[in-house]
Amino acid sequence: MKRFWAYICTLILCGSLYSQGVPNTVFSSLRLDPSARLASLGTPFSTFHEPNIGVAVSNASLISPALHNAAMLHYANYFWAFSNVHAAYVRTLPRLGTFLASIQHANFGSVDGFDEFGNYLGRSNMFYDVALNIGWGRELVDSVFSIGANFKYLFSRGENFWQHGVAVDVSGSYINHDRRLAVSLAFRNIGTVLKREMISDYERMPFQIDLALYQRARNAPFAYTVVLSNLQRWNLSGVDLNEETVDPVTGDITTPNRLAAFADNAMRHIILGGEIFLFRNITFRVSYNYHRRQELRTETRPGFVGFSWGIGARIHRFQVDYARSAYHLAGAPNFISISANLNDF
């Protein structure tokens, strides 16, 4: 265990060195929601007090023997021809632990090609990301604490360039089944690009530190989630508190309001969500992502940008989850996941 924690600390320190103040990242498909349940909660990472493959696919510390022989297939339709497919399967191996294997394919659609003279060169469909993942989880101290890790091989193709790399997720959870409470901390996408064949500046991995809390009410059909995302970087707004701006009309010099900027940055790290258990097998979900709203909304018509909602239903032996997230006025992506435990068949 001492060697394990020493290795974990080394990975965390390496990840922080690669993450400070770097807005541009490669393998951005790692930020996509891997299941409809997480999409309805407005975040690709969360926690839960009961076994759920849709949450464990990104939170390896929730991979437990209770998920043995569980499988999930997820499909998301974003904008135009941009889509994301995620498949996962969990298996417990004697003396080795419980493992989750998954594959993700993000298709960025086709692009028309032209030369410098405007001549049409045809349409290319070679724009996609592939992520192969092996996750491992283990319960500790009477199943109250658990740890886990994801090991990912990444490949990206973009017509005349390609790149591949590796990444690791490290997470830990505290789960209290009596209080229906779960808290998880994760260091996600710690890794590097192994080889690249493209003309651009070197970009970093999308490293993140996330903290998630899930609490289900004891005497009410309701649960809430709070996710603190991107804890490795405070300023997500890009506003420099010391930078002065000059009004182009009046010539007045103004400085940003420090209190307002502090509150804005704090809210950008917080994602709020809730679940309402309408019936025995039907759950309604809703969430609010302030950072997404500030980045993607328009000033004249903000609409419901930043809000997500979804519904989950248990149909026979299958769990079906659907979600819809308002990213922009141009449209809202649809997410659907189907999961089941193959032991039930």
Side-chain angles (χ1 to χ4, degrees):
M1 287 301 296
K2 292 182 179 179
R3 291 183 179 179
F4 174 81
W5 287 114
Y7 177 67
I8 296 304
C9 292
T10 302
L11 288 176
I12 293 171
L13 291 175
C14 292
S16 63
L17 291 175
Y18 273 81
S19 66
Q20 297 301 322
V22 181
N24 298 321
T25 61
V26 293
F27 303 113
S28 58
S29 59
L30 295 176
R31 300 180 184 272
L32 300 178
D33 301 314
S35 69
R37 181 171 191 177
L38 290 175
S40 63
L41 296 177
T43 172
F45 174 83
S46 190
T47 189
F48 193 49
H49 76 283
E50 293 181 356
N52 184 277
I53 188 173
V55 181
V57 71
S58 66
N59 187 348
S61 62
L62 298 184
I63 302 174
S64 67
L67 291 174
H68 172 67
N69 223 19
M72 182 195 70
L73 181 63
H74 169 69
Y75 175 77
N77 175 27
Y78 287 88
F79 301 100
W80 192 239
F82 178 25
S83 62
N84 181 43
V85 179
H86 211 122
Y89 175 74
V90 178
R91 187 79 179 179
T92 299
L93 301 179
R95 298 183 180 181
L96 296 179
T98 305
F99 294 85
L100 183 149
S102 67
I103 180 172
Q104 177 190 10
H105 183 274
N107 180 17
F108 300 109
S110 58
V111 176
D112 293 329
F114 298 87
D115 62 15
E116 63 271 22
F117 304 104
N119 299 316
Y120 181 66
L121 301 178
R123 175 169 293 184
S124 174
N125 296 312
M126 304 297 290
F127 290 87
Y128 60 86
D129 282 359
V130 175
L132 303 177
N133 173 70
I134 297 294
W136 170 84
R138 179 168 181 172
E139 297 177 339
L140 306 172
V141 193
D142 298 328
S143 302
V144 175
F145 294 96
S146 61
I147 57 175
N150 283 324
F151 303 89
K152 309 173 187 177
Y153 169 76
L154 312 167
F155 179 81
S156 180
R157 179 67 184 269
E159 190 180 18
N160 59 351
F161 69 86
W162 59 268
Q163 57 189 346
H164 63 97
V166 292
V168 177
D169 296 348
V170 179
S171 58
S173 293
Y174 165 78
I175 302 174
N176 191 319
H177 297 284
D178 295 333
R179 298 180 58 185
R180 300 182 177 184
L181 170 69
V183 180
S184 295
L185 174 66
F187 300 83
R188 304 172 54 225
N189 303 322
I190 307 169
T192 185
V193 177
L194 296 178
K195 190 174 182 180
R196 61 196 294 125
E197 190 173 292
M198 59 186 298
I199 303 174
S200 69
D201 296 331
Y202 183 77
E203 296 175 327
R204 310 297 185 181
M205 300 292 291
F207 172 74
Q208 283 189 217
I209 301 177
D210 296 328
L211 176 65
L213 179 145
Y214 180 93
Q215 174 72 74
R216 180 170 176 176
R218 183 177 297 273
N219 299 316
F222 176 77
Y224 67 89
T225 64
V226 179
V227 178
L228 304 181
S229 66
N230 286 289
L231 296 180
Q232 81 288 348
R233 185 181 178 199
W234 165 249
N235 191 350
L236 298 179
S237 65
V239 177
D240 187 356
L241 296 180
N242 299 316
E243 182 180 0
E244 296 181 344
T245 59
V246 180
D247 191 298
V249 179
T250 63
D252 296 335
I253 299 177
T254 59
T255 57
N257 187 312
R258 291 180 178 271
L259 180 59
F262 177 87
D264 178 72
N265 266 318
M267 285 299 300
R268 286 174 182 265
H269 291 274
I270 302 174
I271 303 172
L272 303 175
E275 294 184 323
I276 302 175
F277 307 98
L278 301 177
F279 303 99
R280 181 178 180 181
N281 295 323
I282 298 179
T283 304
F284 178 77
R285 308 179 181 107
V286 64
S287 65
Y288 176 62
N289 188 322
Y290 176 84
H291 179 58
R292 181 183 298 169
R293 182 174 178 84
Q294 295 301 108
E295 293 295 312
L296 300 179
R297 70 185 178 93
T298 60
E299 293 294 335
T300 55
R301 293 182 58 193
F304 288 96
V305 173
F307 287 90
S308 302
W309 66 273
I311 190 169
R314 182 74 178 180
I315 304 175
H316 196 43
R317 296 182 176 91
F318 296 92
Q319 175 67 34
V320 180
D321 294 295
Y322 170 80
R324 188 173 176 87
S325 296
Y327 276 51
H328 194 269
L329 291 178
N334 297 286
F335 308 82
I336 185 167
S337 300
I338 300 176
S339 60
N341 195 305
L342 302 183
N343 293 327
D344 296 335
F345 293 88

